[in-house]
Amino acid sequence: MRHLIDPLDLSVQEIDKLLDLADDIAGNPKRYSQVCSGKKLATLFYEPSTRTRLSFESAMLNMGGSVLGFSSANSSSAAKGESVADTIRAVSCYADICAIRHPKEGAPLRASQYSKIPVINAGDGGHQHPTQTLTDLMTIRVKKHRLDHLTIGLCGDLKFGRTVHSLITALSRYEGVRFVLISPEELRVPDYIIDNVLKAKNIPFEEVENIEDVISQLDILYMTRVQKERFFNEEDYIRLKDSYILTMDKMQNAKPDMAVLHPLPRVNEIALEVDDDPRAAYFDQVQNGVYVRMALMMTLLEVEHA
Ligand code: NCD
């Protein structure tokens, strides 16, 4: 049985195959409308979510399956003190696959150790978010027709932003990738990613504070929200929350074919005026998120292709 806990749980070949499947689903959705009929997805969300939970549910419904679950810790037995290990043992009796989001780093991994069904990490604390990464990879491939030989700028909260950690980890396996890490000093990429991924694999990267200095080099600009819920004090959050705001003025200096990505939700990081620029790809990501989650659940459930 396979789980998806960390972006490296899928090989580069498996990701290629999965993205090919997602492309085919996007082009021929009707062909997949019953491939999961009789299958049940459980969504166990101990933290707020709009896109991730609803796109998992929409993905399963698109394939003729059904969904059950909870959308906050308060409405589950976690509020009574139940452990993740016990919860997953119960959920294994109710569903065929599950997606779990939890504020504690490592909770989905722990769940997978007690589970009888495939477990998908839908975000664990400030750690990883591998299905957002599949969404990001699909969007990059659609926009740039490749995942290698790209200069990728990541901007904002690179410390607590789990989507950033997963995307760097996944992209580190492609040739010719270079990262420009744009953040305030306090929100730099954690050392474990710098040391175990970037330095360990000799991947070129630079860390800068000013987006204007580097925007012209970028093929992809990945904007992120400052992760309010992971701050220890409100003062720091208020000081850092508006560190970067992408405006049309700044976009003037970017390449005409740069793509702007954002996992969403957006707070202030991207001015609304940028939404109408053809380089804005963040709403495409939302749609692609459904296709990759369909492809992922088909793969983990070993459902025959249509
Ligand atoms: C992200 C998350 O939950 O990590 N959202 C998402 O899943 N698309 C990003 C965020 O909350 O800022």
Side-chain angles (χ1 to χ4, degrees):
M1 191 179 47
R2 300 277 310 264
H3 306 288
L4 178 63
I5 305 300
D6 183 279
L8 299 183
D9 289 346
L10 293 166
S11 68
V12 169
Q13 290 74 13
E14 285 174 320
I15 287 184
D16 281 349
K17 224 174 121 187
L18 201 149
L19 296 182
D20 289 344
L21 177 57
D23 284 344
D24 194 61
I25 294 170
N28 309 284
K30 283 215 176 93
R31 207 189 290 164
Y32 295 85
S33 66
Q34 292 305 323
V35 287
C36 283
S37 113
K39 301 283 187 198
K40 280 178 271 178
L41 162 72
T43 50
L44 316 181
F45 277 59
Y46 296 83
E47 255 196 355
S49 169
T50 298
R51 269 150 297 269
T52 304
R53 186 171 61 83
L54 296 185
S55 71
F56 264 112
E57 297 190 354
S58 166
M60 185 48 103
L61 296 172
N62 286 344
M63 299 190 290
S66 36
V67 299
L68 64 163
F70 53 84
S71 56
S72 77
N74 293 343
S75 63
S76 77
S77 281
K80 301 178 184 168
E82 186 172 52
S83 69
V84 163
D86 284 1
T87 302
I88 195 72
R89 279 190 272 229
V91 171
S92 294
C93 305
Y94 308 143
D96 302 287
I97 188 164
C98 83
I100 171 166
R101 167 171 289 191
H102 202 285
K104 272 206 193 125
E105 316 196 337
L109 173 64
R110 185 151 176 82
S112 71
Q113 291 159 347
Y114 291 88
S115 181
K116 294 200 185 76
I117 58 174
V119 173
I120 301 169
N121 178 3
D124 63 326
H127 188 217
Q128 298 283 346
H129 192 345
T131 65
Q132 180 62 46
T133 293
L134 295 175
T135 304
D136 302 339
L137 296 179
M138 177 171 180
T139 308
I140 295 172
R141 219 175 69 153
V142 168
K143 293 283 169 197
K144 309 301 294 182
H145 310 290
R146 64 182 193 279
L147 292 172
D148 50 11
H149 298 94
L150 290 168
T151 297
I152 292 141
L154 297 121
C155 178
D157 186 348
L158 309 187
K159 178 181 181 183
F160 296 117
R162 55 195 173 194
T163 65
V164 167
H165 310 154
S166 289
L167 185 58
I168 293 176
T169 305
L171 281 172
S172 71
R173 297 185 290 183
Y174 297 87
E175 217 179 294
V177 162
R178 190 170 79 85
F179 293 101
V180 182
L181 308 174
I182 310 155
S183 76
E185 175 66 25
E186 294 94 326
L187 299 178
R188 288 172 48 216
V189 171
D191 287 344
Y192 81 93
I193 301 276
I194 299 273
D195 294 339
N196 305 345
V197 182
L198 296 174
K199 287 188 179 160
K201 295 185 174 179
N202 261 323
I203 295 163
F205 73 95
E206 57 177 313
E207 295 183 277
V208 301
E209 286 198 40
N210 196 334
I211 188 168
E212 283 95 333
D213 294 347
V214 293
I215 195 165
S216 64
Q217 308 169 20
L218 308 177
D219 300 307
I220 302 289
L221 172 58
Y222 193 91
M223 295 297 294
T224 62
R225 170 180 74 91
V226 176
Q227 305 279 299
K228 181 178 184 191
E229 64 276 35
R230 315 231 185 269
F231 276 69
F232 295 110
N233 73 67
E234 183 140 6
E235 251 167 62
D236 286 349
Y237 170 70
I238 289 168
R239 184 167 50 82
L240 294 167
K241 73 182 171 63
D242 290 328
S243 298
Y244 301 99
I245 300 177
L246 183 66
T247 57
M248 278 315 291
D249 196 39
K250 289 178 189 143
M251 289 287 284
Q252 305 294 328
N253 298 320
K255 291 183 185 176
D257 63 345
M258 182 185 81
V260 182
L261 275 66
H262 190 309
L264 304 179
R266 144 174 71 181
V267 185
N268 277 328
E269 315 75 55
I270 303 180
L272 298 183
E273 61 185 12
V274 178
D275 296 0
D276 297 325
D277 189 289
R279 292 169 288 187
Y282 29 96
F283 295 116
D284 299 337
Q285 277 169 281
V286 178
Q287 179 64 68
N288 293 337
V290 179
Y291 301 136
V292 293
R293 289 182 174 99
M294 290 170 73
L296 174 66
M297 288 192 283
M298 284 181 66
T299 306
L300 296 181
L301 287 168
E302 298 178 359
V303 159
E304 282 305 315
H305 290 201

